[in-house]
Amino acid sequence: MKKVVITGGAGFIGSHLLRRMVNRYPDVTFVNLDKLTYAGNLENLLDIEHKPNYRFIKGDIVDGDFLTALFDAEQFDTVIHLAAESHVDRSIANPIEFVMTNVVGTVNLLNAARHCWNGNWEGKMFYHVSTDEVYGSLGEEGFFEESTPYDPHSPYSASKASSDHFVRAYHDTYGMPVLLSNCSNNYGPYQFPEKLIPLAIHNIKNSKPIPVYGKGENVRDWLWVEDHAAAIDLILQEGTTGETYNIGGFNEWKNIDLIKLLCTIMDKKLGRPEGTSAGLITFVRDRAGHDLRYAIDASHLNTSLGWKPSLQFEEGLEKTVDWYLANEEWLDHVTSGTYKQYYQQQYADR
Ligand code: NAD
Ligand code: TYD
């Protein structure tokens, strides 16, 4: 690994991954390739932007010609692909954008890498960062394993499933060295406040209703974002080419229980009487096709590479709350503009 392109590096997980990699590997050049959609924000990277081994290139992975020219000029040996449209609710409102970025964009990247590497696979790697949502929905019991058949339900998860299949197809058909990981729900600083945890923190702070879909009984497995970044780093260094690794937090929560815990933490942090924030919980119409439960069996990654999460959920959630309360300016910046327009429209439709 000498010259790495990380796509989607201005987003939530990508910015944590870049911070880790740029600091840990000073002799490796990292190029952040990002379109800067509503979800991409270079303020996420202020602390590393002046490092000599970091560079930003604004670009759209849907533009195949641009990618081919970029790969020819830059001669990357490693791709870590995170750029995506990532929010399920948006995918329900506008599936085509998800097909374009997540499917066409991924195939364009695979093509650009294949064209550039030209069959010389030595020292090359295409790492695809994916989600546990490709496996579908679980009942009360069981876990997603790497061998669980794909059964995506939302346009988002269908697009990620498709991109996973293309990455494996390039490995099986052309011999491209690839790695894949499918991770559960991440949380932590710099997550765009359309996802459950930062949205709830933002609303509680502003004494606005906390929208809980349906009865709040859906279950997600939550992982501290830096633990995801550490897992990606480890898999890239030590993973077996062609393999898939599930990454999870061993940390399942019903949405309503998670929100109640968050309310308790927020009451304490904001000095409000106990129960104030919980009074904001508002049950709203359920998400269409809402998957009941996600739970990851990450034992393959644990036993083969020794990875495990570093942080207990309560501690991570408190750190997350502290970060959002201390970074109002960041929140103001990301919640202005396109995000506001989109949500004004969404809420007008309800
Ligand atoms: P995010 O929405 O915060 O960031 C996505 C980034 O991709 C943004 O910086 C955006 O500007 C960029 N991008 C979008 N379209 C682009 C395009 N056409 N060309 C170039 N850049 C583009 O997403 P995230 O939560 O950081 O997720 C990153 C990756 O991890 C995604 O592939 C997602 O599917 C996967 N993932 C996310 C989670 C999670 O809990 N957030 C869990 C598992 C896997
Ligand atoms: P989200 O953060 O959108 O992640 P994902 O859909 O990829 O799992 O949602 C997490 C869970 O929280 C999911 O079950 C949907 C639910 N949810 C709410 O109840 N209210 C909300 O406002 C949001 C955004 C999500």
Side-chain angles (χ1 to χ4, degrees):
M1 167 171 101
K2 291 195 182 75
K3 194 168 189 183
V4 181
V5 59
I6 297 189
T7 70
F12 167 49
I13 300 168
S15 61
H16 285 278
L17 181 66
L18 264 166
R19 181 170 301 103
R20 177 185 177 92
M21 302 297 272
V22 164
N23 287 322
R24 269 174 79 100
Y25 305 105
D27 297 334
V28 178
T29 299
F30 292 92
V31 172
N32 173 12
L33 172 63
D34 198 297
K35 183 185 173 184
L36 300 183
T37 67
Y38 78 95
N41 181 4
L42 290 176
E43 286 176 77
N44 299 358
L45 294 159
L46 287 178
D47 54 331
I48 59 158
E49 68 179 8
H50 299 299
K51 297 260 177 180
N53 62 332
Y54 169 78
R55 198 147 55 89
F56 171 68
I57 295 176
K58 187 170 188 293
D60 186 345
I61 59 168
V62 176
D63 184 345
D65 293 341
F66 157 75
L67 284 181
T68 305
L70 180 73
F71 272 68
D72 282 349
E74 298 283 347
Q75 296 289 314
F76 305 115
D77 51 53
T78 304
V79 180
I80 313 180
H81 176 36
L82 294 96
E85 286 293 335
S86 67
H87 189 44
V88 173
D89 294 328
R90 283 180 191 257
S91 81
I92 294 167
N94 187 6
I96 283 293
E97 220 175 315
F98 284 67
V99 175
M100 294 313 292
T101 291
N102 299 1
V103 185
V104 176
T106 300
V107 178
N108 280 340
L109 262 182
L110 287 161
N111 273 340
R114 180 174 165 237
H115 179 265
C116 174
W117 296 340
N118 195 24
N120 174 17
W121 306 124
E122 188 66 32
K124 312 294 193 306
M125 184 54 72
F126 190 107
Y127 187 130
H128 187 226
V129 175
S130 193
T131 168
D132 61 353
E133 303 191 25
V134 298
Y135 297 121
S137 183
L138 292 164
E140 303 288 319
E141 304 277 307
F143 294 91
F144 297 137
E145 294 170 12
E146 285 83 356
S147 58
T148 302
Y150 276 29
D151 183 23
H153 298 139
S154 74
Y156 165 66
S157 54
S159 69
K160 292 297 292 188
S162 174
S163 59
D164 285 3
H165 288 318
F166 272 104
V167 174
R168 293 195 184 100
Y170 271 61
H171 173 262
D172 296 348
T173 307
Y174 308 113
M176 181 181 285
V178 304
L179 285 164
L180 295 95
S181 54
N182 295 81
C183 186
S184 61
N185 288 55
N186 287 213
Y187 72 98
Y190 300 109
Q191 186 168 32
F192 196 84
E194 63 185 351
K195 306 277 167 59
L196 180 66
I197 290 178
L199 179 97
I201 294 173
H202 187 53
N203 286 13
I204 293 169
K205 197 183 82 183
N206 295 300
S207 299
K208 286 190 181 156
I210 311 165
V212 175
Y213 298 165
K215 293 183 179 149
E217 287 184 344
N218 304 68
V219 175
R220 298 291 183 265
D221 171 74
W222 295 92
L223 179 68
W224 175 243
V225 61
E226 289 180 14
D227 283 332
H228 187 189
I232 294 170
D233 183 7
L234 180 67
I235 293 165
L236 185 67
Q237 306 304 326
E238 295 179 25
T240 303
T241 301
E243 275 205 22
T244 295
Y245 295 85
N246 280 352
I247 309 172
F250 304 95
N251 179 42
E252 287 181 54
W253 284 81
K254 267 189 190 166
N255 291 339
I256 188 65
D257 295 338
L258 186 161
I259 291 298
K260 284 180 180 164
L261 172 63
L262 187 62
C263 286
T264 307
I265 295 174
M266 292 288 288
D267 281 344
K268 262 194 243 144
K269 299 276 175 195
L270 296 170
R272 294 178 182 169
E274 209 182 315
T276 310
S277 302
L280 298 168
I281 294 174
T282 308
F283 293 97
V284 298
R285 193 177 68 209
D286 207 353
R287 174 185 278 170
H290 198 171
D291 287 336
L292 177 67
R293 176 171 165 258
Y294 302 145
I296 275 274
D297 177 353
S299 56
H300 174 46
L301 180 57
N302 178 254
T303 50
S304 61
L305 302 184
W307 176 90
K308 60 177 183 342
S310 71
L311 213 59
Q312 288 296 312
F313 188 54
E314 284 79 353
E315 191 188 342
L317 202 53
E318 215 169 301
K319 280 171 78 145
T320 305
V321 169
D322 287 342
W323 187 87
Y324 278 92
L325 293 181
N327 286 276
E328 273 190 39
E329 204 182 330
W330 181 90
L331 259 182
D332 287 347
H333 289 176
V334 299
T335 51
S336 56
T338 49
Y339 170 74
K340 254 195 188 146
Q341 283 161 21
Y342 173 82
Y343 271 88
Q344 271 156 7
Q345 184 57 40
Q346 288 299 297
Y347 285 117
D349 290 347
R350 273 185 191 274

